Amino acid sequence: MRKPIIAGNWKMFKTVKEALAFAEEVKGKAEVDGVESVICAPFTNLPALVEAFKGTTIKVGAQNLHWADNGAYTGEISGEMLKELGVDYVIIGHSERREYFAETDETVNKKIKAAFKYGVTPIVCVGEKLEEREAGRTKDVCKTQTEAAFAGLDKELAAQTVIAYEPIWAIGTGKSSTSEDANEVIAYIRELIKGLYGTETAEAIRIQYGGSVKPANVKEYMGMSDIDGALVGGASLEPASYIQLVEGAR
Ligand code: 13P
């Protein structure tokens, strides 16, 4: 049985003060048996959130890391730095990072390995642009991105990875993928993992849907055979909405 995972991706929102106010509101509420709850926050919020969520089941994630152990990489953060803070997850290869910060399939692969090296679990994003969907290339794009992401990663680590299928045209647009379409692509990604690692790994790996998920539609996605959770931007920013998302994944 795969444990559903709801992860909020706060993107570049919330000061420390705002993050702590959120934490106070969701403690004890965005905690539901059988559902993993993760807040992926800006770097500056991470120490305060780890402290605030101590003694709760809510986990904290980052939104990026560098692949090197350390070095002359101005402005970057390493896996070791995240681990030291007590961060459990890190989003890798989000489409916004691919689009605005030159993230490539190759850097995604290196970052996944760096995350695991320091015991931080990657949430790896894949997904097609609108023009790729319209050209019937959704599965091709997901195949290229998934296979590149997992290149050289051993089976045991592959099974622990979380994949987030986020069609780019559905991010922040209010135009969510239908649950059937999302499930079809996610089932296809699971088949790809089966091809790379075999049935056991494919059955174990968790694959989320992301793109305009809200309290009103989360249950529909969670009811699908292959969707194991959601990576949520906008609707994860308000405590009441985040609590409903976690409850909806039960
Ligand atoms: P929205 O939920 O705001 O569409 O964002 C999705 C996303 O990019 C999560 O990583």
Side-chain angles (χ1 to χ4, degrees):
M1 264 304 274
R2 301 186 291 268
K3 188 174 189 177
I5 174 168
I6 296 292
N9 173 11
W10 280 359
K11 307 192 180 184
M12 198 174 72
F13 289 96
K14 293 195 192 292
T15 61
V16 174
K17 193 173 162 193
E18 289 163 348
L20 287 174
F22 176 99
E24 275 312 304
E25 292 281 327
V26 302
K27 266 197 251 178
K29 296 180 189 146
E31 298 187 68
V32 166
D33 273 353
V35 179
E36 200 166 356
S37 167
V38 186
I39 294 294
C40 299
F43 289 131
T44 48
N45 292 339
L46 298 176
L49 282 179
V50 169
E51 187 60 32
F53 288 138
K54 261 198 189 126
T56 77
T57 56
I58 302 170
K59 299 196 173 132
V60 177
Q63 299 171 11
N64 184 31
L65 86 170
H66 194 275
W67 60 82
D69 291 334
N70 49 49
Y73 299 107
T74 302
E76 293 292 316
I77 300 282
S78 72
E80 187 177 16
M81 294 169 187
L82 295 181
K83 192 62 202 170
E84 182 189 39
L85 295 180
V87 165
D88 287 308
Y89 283 92
V90 59
I91 297 173
I92 294 175
H94 192 281
S95 59
E96 288 150 16
R97 294 212 59 86
R98 292 180 192 254
E99 184 176 355
Y100 307 128
F101 302 101
E103 191 85 271
T104 64
D105 287 343
E106 194 192 347
T107 60
V108 167
N109 176 254
K110 291 203 272 190
K111 288 179 178 193
I112 293 170
K113 290 172 182 164
F116 276 126
K117 179 170 178 184
Y118 292 103
V120 180
T121 301
I123 299 175
V124 183
C125 302
V126 300
E128 81 286 359
K129 297 179 183 146
L130 183 59
E131 59 267 31
E132 292 166 335
R133 164 153 294 230
E134 286 172 345
R137 297 190 49 236
T138 297
K139 287 182 181 172
D140 285 351
V141 170
C142 291
K143 182 176 194 305
T144 303
Q145 291 179 345
T146 303
E147 291 184 347
F150 283 83
L153 193 72
D154 73 32
K155 200 171 161 166
E156 191 193 321
L157 297 179
Q160 295 167 38
T161 304
V162 177
I163 300 176
Y165 166 58
E166 298 206 311
I168 296 169
W169 50 270
I171 294 177
T173 58
K175 277 191 265 172
S176 52
S177 173
T178 66
S179 53
E180 288 80 12
D181 282 354
N183 195 55
E184 185 185 332
V185 180
I186 287 174
Y188 172 73
I189 294 170
R190 200 177 298 288
E191 277 300 305
L192 293 173
I193 297 297
K194 186 174 167 185
L196 293 173
Y197 297 103
T199 308
E200 204 181 315
T201 308
E203 288 299 319
I205 198 166
R206 293 181 297 174
I207 311 181
Q208 302 171 305
Y209 167 72
S212 298
V213 177
K214 299 176 181 58
N217 61 18
V218 67
K219 274 197 163 65
E220 200 182 315
Y221 292 109
M222 296 308 301
M224 304 306 290
S225 62
D226 280 84
I227 303 181
D228 303 316
L231 182 59
V232 188
S236 73
L237 291 168
E238 288 302 322
S241 166
Y242 184 69
I243 293 164
Q244 287 177 54
L245 289 166
V246 175
E247 284 173 345
R250 196 199 306 252

